[in-house]
């Protein structure tokens, strides 16, 4: 790899004197970084000035929040540390939402910020913000560096901390004088050693044997596949385990794709907007094998009545998550893949035929059969759009969602068979995430077909990044599910606030013209036919494209578990068809009055 | 009122932890921030240097049930600057506070106060015409006993250090130790390595 001349002079012997600003990039290059997302400003200018000497591609964002979301999207797709860069003060504070987002979802990210001269720290200097103080509770670790000698070690440590154990964001705040001063430097390739940081655990083989016994003895077992399955690369071994034991698999939001949705034992997503048969199965199970998930309140509903009949095995790398929300019988702390690798050879299929038949009965023939069979009533539903997108992309695209109703519909109608193909903000639920995260995702996999699925509200939060897409010539496709409302909030107002739509109707610009102003192809679709057509056209375009899908305005996501309610206490679609025949017969029903039966067992 | 043991500690879920931390700027802030964020209620906190350069030792007391204590331990263990953490609530231990109490006492009542000081094995460290300052070391129960006894004289001011604690016997909390998690929902149990600070 080409390096800065100053550090790779062929005639040189031993370390060279180079400025801190070059040490930053040389270290990043040595750590394998090729792309960073950032925005310049006073306190980081020395670093920017040195950047061009190194084989680093810098993506100029339009708002630093975009930089942190891009680094996040990159990390989720590439499985590597994402890097974002900003100046001190407002540059650094603009990163905060993206850092908090990465923290809650456990995304490996390193944020590099400029800081005022070390002599000025504490003096309320121009653009001075105590960013390590600000980000203390939302980073895995952070550090101020005020000497060039410390820069390389700090960045190496940041990468190590960000990517090991439960991953997370690490911020390195580098003073301007540390960037400008010179020191002797040579990259130290030895692995990082931090005396207080030992995140690896090994699991007792007796405990794994006990897990195997519990699995063999269970009559109604269920596996939960969480983000940890994706992160640890356990998809293959999990599939083998399920093929062997036939245990059905429910997913968390961030676990989707970790286990193939088309597998016959895949149940789909559980939780607040989980499929009804999944939530019921959870409540009826006698054994839960939870892998790489943390029993978030969106997954459990009312804890007091959560899965009371089930013993729980919790495979998790962070001991602080054990017994946090749910008390478990058997914690297996360690890397999910290492544990599953040990469990696979000794696991046996139990006597679970009755249970499988029961779940199949609850599930009905096919979760989406109704969508496919729907008579076209001239209206466009978000579910149609996403189902169509799934069909047209053969389920292989990277879908980057924003937050809201469209996000939940995505989980219901886009069936993910592959890990790292759904990029979505789970823990923080950050609107504005999709567009920048999709840019990062495209850098994480240059050959992938990347689609943004965003609401009209969230899209506008970070719409400025449209011009970043153009400047970078990225082929990102954008689907705006435009319902004229802050849809998810509107749904809650309808259900829990007697329909008072306070501050949720939203006027949007003409998105087609907006795209046009960016020199981007764009289409509008108001019917199913137009939608299918627009998706096909957008896919045929080499570059980016945007589609404004004008969907039914007051549609809601069903089923739904209201906050604080038991997991199987679901709100169902209010319609005559919801009182239809038993689940298994649903697909045979001739006259489905409801234009949109979101799940096969909407009984 | 909370009940107290013979060593003078409250038994209402009061847990005592010992942590070794890197002696770096901001470390205390990090730990305090964790307590605030996770809503742990600190009863007492003390930090001081140790015989090993660059390593400080913290003692802190928190009200927590056993499950919460495990998570406090696990969350502190995760911190990069925390070298080791151990819950010593269930082992034999010495627990001490130091307290200075300045009382109103005119010359003619000094002996009365000195008698109390004697009974509590405290000592007088300063005397003025109208006041006397008493120093006492011990567990909270003992200190509170003296405070109550002196109250009728009129306490001008008092100050206490945070509690410090150490386990009894030959074993010590190691500055650096591996963290293990055992089955049965009891995570994590810090392993004790005898004496040495490896
Ligand atoms: C930054 C941020 N602000 C507010 C919210 C609260 N919120 C959650 S969903 C939602 C509505 C989203 O509307 P839209 O983007 O149009 O998507 P839709 O729900 O209609 O699909 C809001 C306001 C949030 N999640 N994130």
């Amino acid at each position: 790899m080409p390096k800065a001349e100053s550090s790779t002079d062929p005639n040189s012997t031993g370390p060279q004197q180079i400025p801190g600003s070059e040490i930053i990039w040389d270290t990043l290059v040595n750590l394998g970084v090729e792309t960073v997302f950032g925005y310049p400003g006073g306190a980081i200018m020395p670093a920017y000035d040195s950047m061009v000497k190194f084989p680093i591609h810098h993506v100029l964002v339009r708002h630093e929040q975009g930089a942190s979301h891009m680094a996040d999207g990159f990390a989720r797709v590439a499985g590597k540390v994402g890097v974002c860069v900003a100046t001190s003060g407002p540059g650094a504070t603009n990163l905060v939402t993206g850092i908090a987002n990465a923290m809650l979802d456990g995304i490996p990210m390193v944020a590099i910020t400029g800081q005022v001269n070390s002599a000025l720290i504490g003096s309320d200097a121009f653009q001075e913000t105590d960013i390590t103080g600000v980000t203390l509770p939302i980073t895995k670790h952070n550090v101020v560096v005020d000497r060039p000698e410390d820069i390389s070690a700090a960045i190496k440590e940041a990468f190590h901390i960000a990517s090991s154990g439960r991953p997370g964001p690490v911020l390195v705040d580098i003073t301007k004088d540390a960037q400008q001063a010179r020191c002797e430097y040579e990259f130290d390739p030895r692995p990082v050693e931090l005396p207080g940081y030992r995140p690896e655990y090994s699991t007792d083989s007796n405990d794994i044997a006990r897990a195997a016994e519990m699995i063999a003895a269970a009559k109604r077992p269920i596996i939960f596949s969480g983000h940890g399955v994706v992160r640890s690369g356990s998809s293959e071994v999990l599939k083998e385990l399920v093929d062997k034991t036939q245990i059905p698999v429910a997913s968390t939001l961030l676990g989707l794709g970790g286990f193939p949705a088309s597998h016959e034992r895949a149940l789909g997503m559980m939780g607040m907007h989980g499929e009804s048969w999944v939530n019921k199965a959870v409540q009826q199970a006698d054994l839960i094998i939870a892998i790489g998930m943390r029993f978030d309140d969106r997954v459990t509903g009312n804890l007091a009545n959560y899965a009371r009949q089930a013993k729980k095995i919790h495979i998790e790398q962070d001991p602080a998550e054990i017994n946090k929300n749910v008390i478990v019988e058997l914690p297996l702390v360690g890397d999910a893949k290492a544990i599953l690798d040990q469990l696979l050879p000794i696991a046996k299929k139990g006597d679970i035929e009755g249970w499988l038949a029961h779940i199949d009965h609850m599930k009905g023939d096919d979760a989406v059969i109704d969508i496919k069979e729907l008579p076209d009533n001239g209206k466009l539903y978000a579910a149609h759009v996403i189902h169509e997108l799934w069909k047209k992309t053969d389920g292989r695209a990277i879908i980057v969602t924003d937050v809201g109703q469209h996000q939940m519909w995505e989980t219901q109608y886009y069936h993910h068979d592959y890990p790292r193909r759904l990029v979505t903000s789970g823990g923080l639920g950050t609107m504005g995430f999709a567009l920048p995260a999709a840019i990062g995702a495209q850098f994480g996999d240059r050959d992938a077909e990347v689609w943004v699925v965003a609401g009209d509200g969230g899209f506008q939060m970070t719409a400025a990044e449209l011009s970043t897409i153009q400047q970078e010539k990225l082929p990102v496709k954008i689907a705006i599910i435009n319902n004229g409302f802050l849809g998810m909030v509107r749904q809650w107002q309808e259900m829990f606030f007697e329909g008072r739509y306070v501050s949720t109707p939203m006027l949007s610009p003409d998105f087609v013209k907006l795209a046009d102003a960016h020199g981007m192809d764009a289409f509008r679709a108001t019917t199913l036919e137009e939608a299918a057509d627009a998706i096909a056209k957008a896919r045929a375009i080499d570059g980016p494209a945007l589609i404004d899908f004008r969907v039914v305005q007051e549609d809601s996501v069903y089923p739904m578990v209201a906050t604080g309610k038991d997991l199987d206490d679901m709100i169902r679609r209010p319609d005559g068809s919801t009182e239809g025949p038993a689940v298994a017969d649903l697909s045979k029903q001739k006259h489905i009055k409801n234009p949109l039966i979101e799940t096969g067992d909407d009984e | 009122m909370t009940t107290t043991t013979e060593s003078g500690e409250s038994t209402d879920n009061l847990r005592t932890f010992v942590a070794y931390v890197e002696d770096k700027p901001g470390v205390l802030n990090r730990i305090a921030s964790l307590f605030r964020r996770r809503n742990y209620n600190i009863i007492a906190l003390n930090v001081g240097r140790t015989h090993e350069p660059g390593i400080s030792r913290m003692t802190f007391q928190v009200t927590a049930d056993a499950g919460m204590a495990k998570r406090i331990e696990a969350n502190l263990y995760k911190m990069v600057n925390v070298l080791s953490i151990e819950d010593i609530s269930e082992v034999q231990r010495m627990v001490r506070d130091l307290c200075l109490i300045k009382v109103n006492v005119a010359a003619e009542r000094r002996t009365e106060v000195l008698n109390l000081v004697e009974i509590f094995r405290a000592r007088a460290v300063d005397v003025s015409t109208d006041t006397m300052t008493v120093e006492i070391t011990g567990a909270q129960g003992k200190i509170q006993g003296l405070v109550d006894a002196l109250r009728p004289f009129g306490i001008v001011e008092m100050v206490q250090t945070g509690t410090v604690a150490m386990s009894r016997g030959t074993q010590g909390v190691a500055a650096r130790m591996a963290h293990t998690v055992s089955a049965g929902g009891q995570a994590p149990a810090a392993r004790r390595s005898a004496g040495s600070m490896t």
Side-chain angles (χ1 to χ4, degrees):
Chain A
M1 241 175 222
K3 301 273 174 61
E5 282 163 30
S6 50
S7 64
T8 54
D9 182 349
N11 303 319
S12 78
T13 48
Q16 298 289 302
Q17 288 269 345
I18 65 165
S21 57
E22 291 183 15
I23 296 175
I24 296 173
W25 302 112
D26 190 72
T27 304
L28 289 174
V29 169
N30 272 292
L31 291 169
V33 175
E34 292 167 3
T35 307
V36 301
F37 307 93
Y39 207 89
I44 194 78
M45 278 183 70
Y48 270 79
D49 190 50
S50 297
M51 183 170 64
V52 289
K53 296 183 184 169
F54 294 84
I56 290 270
H57 178 69
H58 179 267
V59 177
L60 179 62
V61 303
R62 296 301 182 269
H63 184 295
E64 290 88 347
Q65 179 184 351
S68 43
H69 288 328
M70 286 178 208
D72 180 319
F74 170 87
R76 288 184 206 236
V77 168
K80 296 184 198 150
V81 177
V83 181
C84 54
V85 185
T87 190
S88 65
T93 56
N94 275 351
L95 293 175
V96 164
T97 301
I99 292 174
N101 190 72
M103 182 69 174
L104 270 183
D105 283 353
I107 304 301
M109 177 194 293
V110 169
I112 295 175
T113 48
Q115 183 54 281
V116 299
N117 271 324
S118 54
L120 293 177
I121 286 186
S123 71
D124 301 326
F126 178 64
Q127 292 193 333
E128 182 191 356
T129 295
D130 171 16
I131 196 63
T132 44
V134 169
T135 57
L136 194 70
I138 53 163
T139 48
K140 195 172 166 188
H141 192 61
N142 64 25
V143 60
V144 182
V145 181
D146 58 5
R147 302 182 333 141
E149 291 86 347
D150 299 334
I151 290 177
S152 192
I155 293 177
K156 269 179 63 186
E157 286 166 12
F159 268 67
H160 175 60
I161 295 167
S163 57
S164 54
R166 179 178 204 265
V170 180
L171 182 136
V172 184
D173 194 30
I174 308 176
T175 62
K176 194 169 182 180
D177 50 320
Q179 297 168 46
Q180 287 164 322
R182 290 170 174 268
C183 71
E184 281 196 352
Y185 164 79
E186 199 169 26
F187 182 75
D188 178 357
R190 286 174 302 176
V192 172
E193 269 182 49
L194 292 166
Y197 181 71
R198 291 143 299 170
E200 313 307 341
Y201 294 83
S202 60
T203 316
D204 189 336
S205 57
N206 291 326
D207 287 347
I208 294 180
R210 208 178 128 206
E213 283 164 24
M214 288 166 77
I215 288 171
K219 295 275 178 292
R220 300 186 306 280
I222 185 168
I223 289 174
F224 290 176
S225 176
H227 197 191
V229 169
V230 175
R231 263 194 315 235
S232 63
S234 304
S235 293
E236 269 312 308
V237 58
L238 175 60
K239 206 163 132 293
E240 286 178 50
L241 183 72
V242 174
D243 287 340
K244 194 172 175 191
T245 61
Q246 292 299 307
I247 301 174
V249 180
S251 257
T252 65
L253 173 63
L254 296 183
L256 290 170
F259 185 77
S262 59
H263 193 284
E264 68 164 330
R265 289 289 154 251
L267 296 177
M269 192 174 78
M270 59 190 155
M272 180 177 272
H273 288 296
E275 307 288 5
S276 59
W277 64 82
V278 196
N279 287 349
K280 284 184 188 163
V282 172
Q283 293 296 72
Q284 294 165 11
D286 70 351
L287 177 68
I288 289 171
I289 304 127
I291 311 171
M293 55 86 72
R294 56 191 179 88
F295 293 103
D296 181 82
D297 54 79
R298 285 292 192 266
V299 159
T300 62
N302 177 21
L303 276 174
N305 287 327
Y306 178 66
R308 291 177 65 167
Q309 305 171 38
K311 291 203 169 111
K312 288 139 196 131
I313 300 172
H314 195 183
I315 301 176
E316 166 61 43
Q317 68 189 159
D318 182 355
E321 292 296 342
I322 303 293
N323 294 335
K324 184 173 83 177
N325 300 331
V326 170
I327 302 295
V328 301
E329 275 67 28
L330 180 62
L332 299 177
V333 176
D335 176 64
K337 179 154 188 311
I339 292 171
L340 292 177
D341 279 341
Q342 284 174 266
L343 183 59
L344 177 63
I346 55 171
K348 288 194 189 70
K349 180 170 179 281
D351 173 17
I352 60 171
E353 295 309 331
W355 171 236
L356 297 180
H358 173 66
I359 289 179
D360 279 348
H361 176 74
M362 289 198 293
K363 189 169 173 179
D365 288 352
D366 182 351
V368 292
I369 190 163
D370 316 288
I371 292 290
K372 282 188 274 185
E373 309 297 318
L374 264 187
D376 190 347
N377 67 355
K379 288 184 188 163
L380 185 60
Y381 288 84
H384 285 140
V385 174
I386 293 172
H387 180 67
E388 196 61 35
L389 194 58
W390 173 68
K391 277 199 303 188
K392 287 249 165 23
T393 57
D394 199 20
R396 289 171 183 280
I398 292 178
I399 306 290
V400 187
T401 82
D402 215 75
V403 170
Q405 292 182 312
H406 64 277
Q407 180 188 28
M408 294 299 116
W409 281 315
E410 199 282 345
T411 68
Q412 292 179 340
Y413 298 105
Y414 201 102
H415 304 294
H416 289 277
D417 277 345
Y418 314 96
R420 301 191 180 281
R421 302 279 102 168
L422 168 62
V423 176
T424 193
S425 165
L428 196 66
T430 311
M431 285 173 70
F433 174 75
L435 190 62
I439 294 173
Q442 187 77 75
F443 278 102
D445 182 349
R446 294 304 295 248
D447 302 323
E449 177 175 351
V450 176
W451 278 85
V452 169
V453 173
D456 42 331
F459 177 77
Q460 289 184 73
M461 281 200 172
T462 49
E465 305 299 344
L466 280 175
S467 56
T468 310
I469 290 179
Q470 286 299 50
Q471 186 162 353
E472 293 294 328
K473 303 190 169 48
L474 299 175
V476 171
K477 312 286 195 261
I478 300 157
I480 300 178
I481 309 298
N482 187 351
N483 54 14
F485 278 100
L486 297 176
M488 186 58 95
V489 178
R490 186 211 58 74
Q491 174 172 344
W492 284 49
Q493 288 171 332
E494 179 189 323
M495 291 179 173
F496 313 121
F497 293 87
E498 293 162 354
R500 290 184 296 275
Y501 290 171
V502 179
S503 300
T504 45
M506 178 172 264
L507 178 70
S508 292
D510 181 328
F511 291 120
V512 173
K513 280 191 184 157
L514 184 69
D516 190 46
H518 287 85
M520 197 178 279
D521 288 307
F523 313 95
R524 177 165 294 123
T526 51
T527 64
L528 185 50
E529 202 186 335
E530 285 172 13
D533 191 44
I535 292 171
K537 279 192 190 134
R539 293 190 77 227
I541 292 170
D542 255 351
L546 179 151
I547 309 171
D548 178 17
F549 292 102
R550 295 291 180 88
V551 298
V552 167
Q553 292 209 311
E554 296 180 46
D555 194 9
S556 289
V557 184
Y558 296 100
M560 174 173 188
V561 181
T563 318
K565 287 282 166 38
D566 295 349
L567 192 59
D568 48 3
D569 181 2
M570 285 165 281
I571 303 173
R572 316 307 291 272
R573 183 170 286 275
D575 188 295
S577 69
T578 57
E579 294 154 14
V583 180
D585 300 336
L586 194 69
S587 59
K588 297 181 196 104
Q589 199 184 343
K590 291 283 180 299
H591 306 290
I592 298 170
K593 279 175 262 157
N594 187 337
L596 198 158
I597 294 172
E598 73 293 348
T599 63
D601 88 323
D602 223 7
E603 58 211 5
Chain B
M1 266 309 278
T2 54
T3 51
T4 51
T5 62
E6 73 180 301
S7 66
E9 280 181 276
S10 160
T11 52
D12 288 2
N13 278 336
L14 186 77
R15 314 287 302 197
T16 304
F17 295 84
V18 171
Y20 283 97
V21 302
E22 289 179 315
D23 180 13
K24 285 187 177 167
V27 172
L28 182 59
N29 183 18
R30 278 173 203 285
I31 291 168
S33 170
L34 175 86
F35 284 127
R36 179 188 50 77
R37 182 165 85 82
R38 300 265 179 203
N39 236 339
Y40 303 148
N41 186 20
I42 303 189
I43 304 299
L45 173 70
N46 173 284
V47 199
R49 299 225 165 116
T50 64
H51 58 289
E52 280 203 61
I55 297 183
S56 299
R57 175 163 165 149
M58 274 178 72
T59 307
F60 60 90
Q61 295 187 310
V62 180
T63 42
D65 59 25
M68 192 182 204
K70 293 292 178 201
R71 288 196 303 281
I72 292 174
E73 206 177 318
N75 273 308
L76 271 138
Y77 178 82
K78 276 198 285 185
M79 300 184 75
V80 175
N81 304 117
V82 174
L83 300 170
S84 76
I85 165 84
E86 187 168 358
D87 181 352
I88 61 165
S89 314
E90 258 134 59
V91 301
Q92 290 281 316
R93 62 197 176 281
M94 297 159 282
V95 179
R96 298 285 183 275
D97 269 90
L98 185 145
C99 178
L100 296 173
I101 308 162
K102 189 182 285 179
V103 274
N104 274 322
V105 43
E108 60 275 17
R109 295 190 73 187
R110 269 187 203 145
T111 26
E112 257 181 86
V113 171
L114 285 171
N115 282 340
L116 285 170
V117 164
E118 176 83 356
I119 293 168
F120 281 89
R121 291 196 171 66
R123 58 196 186 115
V125 289
D126 188 40
V127 177
S128 73
T129 45
D130 303 317
T131 65
M132 183 188 290
T133 303
V134 174
E135 176 189 316
I136 180 169
T137 309
Q140 271 305 315
K142 180 177 160 191
I143 292 174
Q144 283 310 319
L146 180 60
V147 169
D148 289 344
L150 292 177
R151 203 183 294 280
F153 294 88
I155 294 176
V156 181
E157 61 176 329
M158 69 171 273
V159 62
Q160 292 195 66
T161 61
T163 305
V164 294
M166 187 179 273
S167 54
R168 288 189 183 276
T170 52
Q171 293 207 323
V173 175
R176 298 192 177 96
M177 63 187 164
H179 200 241
T180 57
V181 179
S182 58
Q186 297 309 305
R191 200 194 312 128
R192 303 184 115 225
S193 62
S196 67
M197 306 243 286
T198 43

